[in-house]
Amino acid sequence: MSLAETKNVGTNRYELVVKVDAEKFEAAIEKAYRKNVKKIDIQGFRKGHAPRKIVERMYGEGVFFEDAINDLYPAALQEAITESGLEVVARPEVEVTEVNKADGFTFTAKCVVKPEVEVKDYKGIEVEKEVKEVTDEEIDRNLQNMQEKHARMIDVDDRPAQNGDSVVFDFEGFVDGVAFDGGKAEKFNLELGSGQFIPGFEEQIVGKSIGEEFDVNVSFPEDYHVDDLKGKPAVFKCKLHEIKYKELPILDDEFAKDASEFDSLDELKADLKKKAEEANEKAAETEVENKLIDTVLENMTGEIPEEMYEVRIDEMVRDFEYRLQMQGMDLETYLKYTGMELDSFRKTFAAQAEKQVKIRLALEKIVEVENITVEDEAVEEEYKKLADQYKMEVEKVKGFIPDEEFRKDMAVNKAVDLIKDTAKITVK
């Protein structure tokens, strides 16, 4: 492989001209022949045993060119990018321009490169830090949440269902007298008043008794996710099997002993307040950091290629898809359920992707200007922290996160620290 030419063809755009010599091309053609010959049947030869010259005579000299080029160009392209010194930020657009056995082949690669940005006034930024005060109401809400977690469900058999009860019932839905897909369930558990069902449904269960059969008449919302049901009136045939209500424990010292490590309710409240104060302090720190970064972005200039945003969106979609798979769902099913097309789904990430790209570029520029470096000892320490966190061997972690990328991330974090350390923060 040889990098024949590097041409600047526009802002943040270069074209590389790459040549692959005849010797390498010939070896790749032979490899492609051996890979494909088993599938080739030519009269006079056993299937899979036709000589290469015979195959090329019958199907043309270039019969194996495409496979050979596809085999060689990725490595050749990477070598050319490395030799050029360009920092390519999106997949290059490759086009083969010349190909023959005598000379090998030549291709061009149109590359989008990392833009040059400028960041001014990132030191001494003035910002207010507002730490939210912990109120008694907030502590009470936390105690109520603990009550909910330790509540008991009590069976009811002497009264009709009330709002707030949990009921177990069967239902089957009909539109225009015809049952529809997904509209039937048996022994379904529902908390009345939770808003889990479409508007008007849960209210019609209130007042019904165990064993009672009844109809629920509702209309699907106009924005319902199933097109065939949008705005349609429906009748649900229902039968009520069980009614339960939630019995909350009394808030006293015994509750504190049962629900926590403390011996009294006052100690529990004090701990809840302390944790809430710590959470508010952390939230205030995060908000300060967000304000500082927003100011840095306002002070950044540069022409950022659209392809960088698209690459980041791709990464975010893949991450979302991975999380769906962990829950037993794929992206296609999710899009079908939500009624979204892939293009409109991608657009939901656009603003976030654009901001993340800009933040990274700004911070990397500050790393460059301030000549921020990361010591080897610090890198090893961070690798060890990650290994301990995920209960993995350090070398395996290094296999997942290459040293160069890890150092870049750590340097960027140091740039954030520099911005915070030099900021003028007023506490409210």
Side-chain angles (χ1 to χ4, degrees), residues 364-382:
E364 287 182 351
K365 186 62 178 181
I366 293 173
V367 168
E368 177 190 331
V369 172
E370 296 291 336
N371 195 26
I372 295 175
T373 58
V374 181
E375 300 297 327
D376 292 343
E377 294 80 3
V379 173
E380 288 299 320
E381 186 178 341
E382 286 301 311

Side-chain angles (χ1 to χ4, degrees), residues 312-335 342 345-346 348-349:
R312 183 63 191 128
I313 290 174
D314 289 341
E315 294 169 349
M316 295 170 80
V317 170
R318 282 197 298 270
D319 183 60
F320 187 88
E321 187 170 14
Y322 174 75
R323 294 199 304 273
L324 284 177
Q325 290 171 353
M326 296 293 287
Q327 299 172 27
M329 185 184 291
D330 57 36
L331 183 59
E332 184 179 353
T333 302
Y334 175 82
L335 293 176
L342 181 59
F345 174 69
R346 286 175 58 83
T348 63
F349 295 100

Side-chain angles (χ1 to χ4, degrees), residues 414-426:
K414 291 180 74 172
V416 174
D417 291 339
L418 182 147
I419 294 168
K420 291 169 65 176
D421 293 343
T422 60
K424 299 175 182 178
I425 302 173
T426 304

Side-chain angles (χ1 to χ4, degrees), residues 275-312:
K275 288 178 178 176
E277 288 173 344
E278 291 172 351
N280 289 353
E281 175 66 25
K282 186 175 181 180
E285 284 288 334
T286 300
E287 184 61 24
V288 164
E289 186 173 306
N290 290 338
K291 290 177 180 178
L292 291 172
I293 294 299
D294 286 342
T295 302
V296 169
L297 295 185
E298 291 171 5
N299 296 337
M300 182 183 76
T301 56
E303 192 171 332
I304 302 172
E306 192 69 28
E307 287 86 347
M308 290 192 74
Y309 303 141
E310 292 299 317
V311 168
R312 183 63 191 128

Side-chain angles (χ1 to χ4, degrees), residues 9-20:
V9 294
T11 305
N12 305 316
R13 298 177 188 279
Y14 282 80
E15 183 176 278
L16 306 181
V17 180
V18 186
K19 292 182 178 292
V20 177

Side-chain angles (χ1 to χ4, degrees), residues 186-312:
E186 294 182 355
K187 300 295 179 66
F188 190 89
N189 199 313
L190 172 67
E191 181 180 339
L192 300 180
S194 64
Q196 185 176 347
F197 277 40
I198 60 177
F201 192 107
E202 296 172 26
E203 293 86 341
Q204 296 181 53
I205 301 179
V206 172
K208 301 298 187 292
S209 301
I210 292 175
E212 188 172 349
E213 297 183 15
F214 54 94
D215 290 350
V216 169
N217 294 278
V218 290
S219 291
F220 284 97
E222 293 294 342
D223 59 351
Y224 196 65
H225 64 270
V226 179
D227 290 339
D228 291 343
L229 299 177
K230 288 181 177 179
K232 295 279 186 72
V235 177
F236 286 84
K237 302 287 185 181
C238 303
K239 181 176 181 179
L240 187 59
H241 295 290
E242 298 178 35
I243 303 172
K244 298 176 184 287
Y245 78 92
K246 191 179 294 182
E247 183 181 71
L248 299 177
I250 298 172
L251 289 176
D252 55 16
D253 291 345
E254 289 302 315
F255 171 77
K257 291 176 184 178
D258 292 339
S260 72
E261 61 196 65
F262 302 102
D263 293 327
S264 71
L265 187 61
D266 288 340
E267 288 177 317
L268 174 57
K269 286 182 177 180
D271 182 67
L272 290 174
K273 183 174 182 179
K274 179 184 175 183
K275 288 178 178 176
E277 288 173 344
E278 291 172 351
N280 289 353
E281 175 66 25
K282 186 175 181 180
E285 284 288 334
T286 300
E287 184 61 24
V288 164
E289 186 173 306
N290 290 338
K291 290 177 180 178
L292 291 172
I293 294 299
D294 286 342
T295 302
V296 169
L297 295 185
E298 291 171 5
N299 296 337
M300 182 183 76
T301 56
E303 192 171 332
I304 302 172
E306 192 69 28
E307 287 86 347
M308 290 192 74
Y309 303 141
E310 292 299 317
V311 168
R312 183 63 191 128

